[in-house]
Amino acid sequence: MRQIIDVAVKTKKAEFARCKTNMLVVGQFSDATEPDEIIRKLDERLGGAIERLKQLGDFTGKAKTHALLYGNGKIAAERLLLVGLGERSKATLDTLRKAAATAANRAVELKVKHISLALHRPFAGSLDMAAMGKAMAEGVYYGSYRYDEYVSESKNGRLGSLDAQIVEPTPAPLKSLHQGMTAGVIVGRMQSYARTLANRPANVIDPPALAKAARDLTRGLTTLRCTIYDERQLEAQKMGGILAVGSGSRSKPRLIILRYTPAKKPARRLPTVALVGKAVTFDSGGISIKPAQDMDQMKLDKSGGIAVLAAMKAAAELELPLNLWGLVPAAENLPSGSSYRPGDIVTTYSGKTVEILNTDAEGRMILSDALAFAARQKCDIVIDIATLTGACMVALGQFKAGVMSNDDELLRDLQKAADDSGESIWPLPSGEEYAEEMKSKIADLKNTGSRWGGACTAAAFLRQFVGEMKWAHLDIAGMDVIASPVVYASAGSTGFGVRLLIAYLMNLIEKK
Ligand code: BES
Ligand code: MN
Ligand code: ZN
C-alpha cells in the first residue's frame, strides 16, 4: 500500500548551524536554566532572536508548544522550529517521540519538504542513542500521517513526500542514532500502514478484503507465510465462534494465519509467541443492535487485528530471531435473517459451549477460537489485542489500554514495552470472581457478565481458552482512535499496539 505521504528518514553528519534544510528542529526543556548548547550557538548567529522570543514569553519550552523562526541567511536552515519538551525530570523517550511527531506534523501543515532533527541533543547522557534514533523515526511517521485517500481535492496541494534527517556532528552517537533509526523506520512505516487500513471504511475493508491485504503484506517474504481459512475451512475446523459472529453478513468471515520463521536458526531457544488480534470489520452490535450515535466509529473495530498484521510484517522486516504466529479472526457483525441470536448456544473451536446473551459481545467469540488455535499450536506466550469493551474506556479513559494477564513476568515485560514505546497500558484483574460471572446454567459459558466490571469479565472469558499458555490481553477500546487532531497527530486511527508489540518482542530477544 502506498503511504499517503511518502516519508524517508536518514541520518546526517553536520554542524547544526551549517545544516542546509527547509526546517531545523531543536528541543528545549521548560526548566532549563541555561539554554542548550546548540540553541545558544544558533542564537549567536541569529543575533539573539531566540532569547528575545523567550523574554517576550512567546516560547517557554512548555510541553505541547512550539515556535517558528526564520534563518534569514544567518544560519544554513531556512526555518528553525523550537519544540517544547516540558520539565526535564518528567521527560521520557516518548517526550522525544512526540517532539519529532510535532515537528513532522508542522512540516506537513507548512508543506515543508525537508526537515532536520537535532531533538536528541538535550537528552544526551540520560537516554540511549539508538533508542532515541528509533523514537525519532517513529515520531516522524506518526506526526506526518494523514488519511485523505477519498478526498477528491486532496491531491492538489498535497505534500506528497517528507524527507527527514537526524543530524549530529559527532560520529559515535551518529552511528547509534542511525542503527536505532533503521528499526524506527520499519516500525513507523508499519504503524502508518495500520492506520490507513484501519481508517478505511467497512464497505472497502470487509473480512475477505482484509485477508487479501494480509496476503499482499506477506508477498515476497519467504520468512512470513500466510494461510487464510475461508468460511468452508472455518466450518471444517468447527470454528463456531468466528462463524456465529460472521453469520449475519454477506461478506463471509475469515481466519488469517501468519507464521514467521526467522531465516537463520536462533542462537538460543526463545519462546514461540502468538499475537492474536480482533478484526471485526464493522460492529453494528448485530441483533443486539447498537444506538445510531457514533456507530460509524465501529469501522475501527478491526484495529487490534490490523495491529497484529502490521507487527508481524515489522517483525519479519526486522528479522527478529524468534518464531511467531499472527492470528487474526475477521468477521462483520450485522443483523439479518441469518445472524446469530441472543439465546443461541455456540460450540467454539475449543469444544466449549457458549450461551449468547448479547450479540454485541462478539469480539470475545471470535477471539476464543483464535486463542484456542494458538493453544493447539503449543505456543508458549499469547498476547491478544482487541477493541473489546466500552467498560475499559469507562475505567481508563483514552490514555491507557487495559492489560489483563495470567503471568506476572509477562505483565512486567509488557509494562516495560509500554514505557519504551509510549503506548501506555494499565493492569486490571481477570481472575476467579470474574470468571464465576461468566458461567452459564445451560452451557459452559455465557458471553456477558453483570453490569459491573465489563472489561474484567470479558478478559476472564478469554482466559478460559488459553490452556497452558502464558497470556496477556490488551483491551484497546478508546485507544484505537484520536477524535480530534492534536499537536503531534491527525485525527482517526492511531495504529495503537504496533509499537508496543514490537517493543515487547525486541526486549524479549535482549532479555537474559
Ligand atoms: N467493539 C465494542 C467495544 C467498543 C466500544 C470499542 C466502544 C470501542 C468503542 C464491543 O464489541 C462491544 O460492543 N462491547 C460491548 C460488550 C457488552 C455487550 C457486554 C460493550 O462494551 O458494550
Ligand atoms: Mn460489539
Ligand atoms: Zn466489537
Side-chain angles (χ1 to χ4, degrees):
M1 182 193 307
R2 222 186 69 81
Q3 294 305 326
I4 305 302
I5 296 168
D6 290 318
V7 184
V9 191
K10 301 186 185 75
T11 50
K12 187 182 164 67
K13 185 172 182 301
E15 279 300 332
F16 301 114
R18 293 214 194 92
C19 180
K20 264 188 85 164
T21 175
N22 299 137
M23 189 160 97
L24 178 64
V25 186
V26 299
Q28 167 82 60
F29 287 114
S30 60
D31 52 358
T33 43
E34 286 277 296
D36 199 70
E37 177 212 337
I38 64 168
I39 292 195
R40 194 171 44 75
K41 281 191 180 156
L42 290 167
D43 203 26
E44 260 171 43
R45 301 261 201 139
L46 291 170
I50 301 175
E51 206 36 55
R52 187 85 195 113
L53 206 65
K54 286 187 193 157
Q55 278 165 10
L56 291 171
D58 295 1
F59 179 74
T60 59
K62 235 175 74 178
K64 294 182 194 153
T65 68
H66 50 75
L68 189 65
L69 290 89
Y70 295 87
N72 295 325
K74 294 173 187 162
I75 56 173
E78 274 173 8
R79 300 174 186 79
L80 178 65
L81 185 72
L82 304 173
V83 182
L85 302 175
E87 288 172 49
R88 184 181 273 278
S89 60
K90 288 188 188 153
T92 62
L93 200 54
D94 201 49
T95 309
L96 176 63
R97 188 183 288 106
K98 287 210 170 81
T102 301
N105 190 16
R106 256 332 254 148
V108 172
E109 272 173 47
L110 295 168
K111 300 197 178 68
V112 162
K113 281 233 177 249
H114 188 279
I115 62 173
S116 301
L117 308 176
L119 286 164
H120 58 286
R121 267 307 181 102
F123 297 89
S126 60
L127 293 177
D128 175 70
M129 279 291 163
M132 288 203 277
K134 177 163 176 279
M136 280 190 279
E138 290 170 348
V140 168
Y141 276 92
Y142 204 78
S144 61
Y145 180 81
R146 297 292 185 274
Y147 182 69
D148 63 359
E149 64 180 338
Y150 290 102
V151 181
S152 303
E153 304 103 73
S154 71
K155 285 204 185 72
N156 315 318
R158 182 194 281 183
L159 180 82
S161 69
L162 175 68
D163 278 313
Q165 53 182 215
I166 298 168
V167 282
E168 168 59 47
T170 37
L174 188 71
K175 198 169 165 235
S176 306
L177 284 168
H178 186 85
Q179 196 198 343
M181 178 218 68
T182 313
V185 164
I186 290 171
V187 178
R189 190 161 18 83
M190 285 324 295
Q191 186 157 43
S192 292
Y193 166 88
R195 292 170 80 179
T196 295
L197 211 53
N199 279 325
R200 287 187 177 162
N203 61 330
V204 175
I205 302 289
D206 63 1
L210 190 65
K212 183 179 178 302
R215 199 177 280 296
D216 291 346
L217 206 56
T218 57
R219 201 151 278 146
L221 271 171
T222 51
T223 55
L224 192 60
R225 297 281 174 193
C226 178
T227 308
I228 310 287
Y229 284 180
D230 64 12
E231 63 272 29
R232 282 177 302 274
Q233 282 145 312
L234 290 168
E235 291 277 2
Q237 295 292 324
K238 300 203 171 76
M239 296 199 157
I242 301 173
L243 285 164
V245 174
S247 63
S249 174
R250 242 179 347 141
S251 300
K252 295 301 170 209
R254 297 286 183 266
L255 176 64
I256 302 165
I257 304 166
L258 298 184
R259 188 145 198 207
Y260 168 70
T261 357
K264 281 177 288 191
K265 201 171 183 304
R268 65 193 176 103
R269 212 197 96 76
L270 285 163
T272 297
V273 181
L275 305 176
V276 175
K278 168 182 172 181
V280 172
T281 57
F282 186 71
D283 182 13
S284 70
I287 298 291
S288 315
I289 199 161
K290 289 180 180 293
Q293 180 81 45
D294 293 332
M295 202 204 270
D296 59 292
Q297 292 297 305
M298 284 300 123
K299 70 170 185 176
L300 290 161
D301 213 21
K302 58 190 182 299
S303 299
I306 290 170
V308 167
L309 297 181
M312 289 297 290
K313 171 81 171 201
E317 289 187 338
L318 291 163
E319 300 177 8
L320 299 185
L322 81 176
N323 291 301
L324 297 173
W325 288 85
L327 302 171
V328 180
E332 184 174 42
N333 189 19
L334 290 182
S336 80
S338 56
S339 298
Y340 79 137
R341 296 151 286 245
D344 284 2
I345 296 175
V346 172
T347 304
T348 62
Y349 180 63
S350 66
K352 288 193 163 79
T353 55
V354 182
E355 181 190 8
I356 304 301
L357 293 180
N358 190 321
T359 61
D360 200 9
E362 85 295 344
R364 62 199 74 182
M365 296 306 297
I366 67 172
L367 289 170
S368 69
D369 283 351
L371 290 168
F373 183 87
R376 206 168 286 189
Q377 306 312 316
K378 300 205 162 28
C379 295
D380 303 298
I381 298 174
V382 62
I383 301 171
D384 77 72
I385 175 164
T387 47
L388 203 65
T389 67
C392 192
M393 256 173 105
V394 171
L396 299 177
Q398 290 185 287
F399 304 108
K400 288 178 193 308
V403 59
M404 294 80 162
S405 179
N406 62 6
D407 186 81
D408 287 344
E409 188 185 359
L410 177 54
L411 199 58
R412 275 196 303 276
D413 290 350
L414 279 169
Q415 193 60 254
K416 164 92 168 68
D419 294 342
D420 292 348
S421 67
E423 294 189 324
S424 212
I425 60 174
W426 197 260
L428 293 169
S430 64
E432 257 331 295
E433 308 98 307
Y434 301 96
E436 200 57 41
E437 279 197 14
M438 303 309 285
K439 286 186 180 154
S440 163
K441 290 207 170 63
I442 58 169
D444 300 331
L445 294 162
K446 52 189 187 183
N447 80 331
T448 59
S450 69
R451 262 185 77 189
W452 315 113
C456 306
T457 50
F461 179 93
L462 297 178
R463 196 171 174 154
Q464 307 309 309
F465 297 88
V466 303
E468 299 294 295
M469 298 182 293
K470 293 178 177 174
W471 159 81
H473 157 63
L474 299 165
D475 193 332
I476 62 164
M479 300 306 292
D480 55 323
V481 59
I482 303 179
S484 37
V486 289
V487 290
Y488 58 85
S490 57
S493 166
T494 57
F496 188 95
V498 180
R499 294 202 314 262
L500 175 64
L501 292 173
I502 291 297
Y504 168 76
L505 295 173
M506 287 179 77
N507 289 345
L508 195 62
I509 289 155
E510 298 295 314
K511 209 173 138 180
K512 280 174 263 315

